[in-house]
Each structure stands twice: as structure tokens, then as C-alpha cells.
Amino acid sequence: MHRDIQRRSPAFTPAAETAIEQVDPGIRRQILGHGPDLMVCRVWFEQGAIGRVHSHPHSQSSYVESGRFRVTIDGEERELEAGDGFYVAPFLDHGALCLEAGCLLDTFNPARADFLGEEG
């Protein structure tokens, strides 16, 4: 399991001043804000990019800001588009295939220490 995150982001996170990292082929992530109990990330996907099936101990709720995605959660698949959302309970297998280039806003509870390089 992870350890408690002792730091938090600044109160304001201007997108133009916040790092964007390449996390997988065709997938980039920007951490928009976090504290020990919450993290919000913007994740851009190129068409055809795959968010591989994985699980983690965090609750996750995501909003489809743009594009179209085939999302799999615990073996169930749904196609989602801009305006849709989904929830992933802790430890459930989940992943996404980007059908049309777009962006997800992901929220996590607690914050993802691994995203901050604080695995423990």
C-alpha cells in the first residue's frame, strides 16, 4: 500500500505553468491539484491510445471532457463520450481505449503517491 502524502499542490495551478508528462504512448498527464486525500489530473489521449487494464487501492471518478473512449471496469465495457463519467472502486480492474482523440479529468482518493514519485 502507499504511505500518506505529506505535501500538497499550491492553492492555484495555472495549466500553462504546470508540467505535462508523457506517461504511455499517446497518453499525457497533467496534475492539476492534490493533497493527501484528493488528486485531480487531466489526461490527454491520442486516437488508438490504450490505458492498459490495471487496478489500484484508490477510488477513481473520471469525466470525459472530450473525445470518445471504450472504458472497461471489472469486465464490463461501455463507450463514453464528452459529458459522460465513470467511477472505479478500489482494486477493480479497469482500462480505456481511445476511439476519438480526447481528454479525461481523473480524480483519485487518496492522492496517487506514485504519480508524485512518492511510492512507499
Side-chain angles (χ1 to χ4, degrees):
M1 204 80 106
H2 71 89
R3 61 188 161 99
D4 288 337
I5 296 170
Q6 299 301 315
R7 60 188 178 113
R8 63 177 179 84
S9 63
F12 299 98
T13 311
E17 300 171 16
T18 303
I20 297 172
E21 61 181 318
Q22 189 80 35
V23 293
D24 279 313
I27 302 174
R28 298 176 300 135
R29 176 177 59 225
Q30 183 179 49
I31 299 172
L32 296 174
H34 66 87
D37 59 346
L38 184 67
M39 176 178 273
V40 178
C41 300
R42 179 179 286 136
V43 187
W44 292 271
F45 288 76
E46 295 175 9
Q47 184 173 350
I50 298 171
R52 64 178 173 68
V53 174
H54 64 286
S55 67
H56 44 71
H58 313 82
S59 296
Q60 176 179 341
S61 184
S62 297
Y63 171 76
V64 181
E65 182 179 276
S66 61
R68 281 189 325 114
F69 296 83
R70 182 176 301 128
V71 177
T72 303
I73 302 171
D74 198 29
E76 183 180 348
E77 274 189 3
R78 294 285 296 266
E79 278 195 25
L80 302 175
E81 60 187 24
D84 294 338
F86 59 93
Y87 171 76
V88 183
F91 301 106
L92 287 185
D93 287 338
H94 60 286
L97 167 64
C98 182
L99 303 172
E100 179 183 306
C103 184
L104 299 178
L105 291 178
D106 292 341
T107 57
F108 299 97
N109 176 312
R112 296 285 306 259
D114 55 330
F115 288 6
L116 299 170
E118 297 180 1
E119 292 186 73

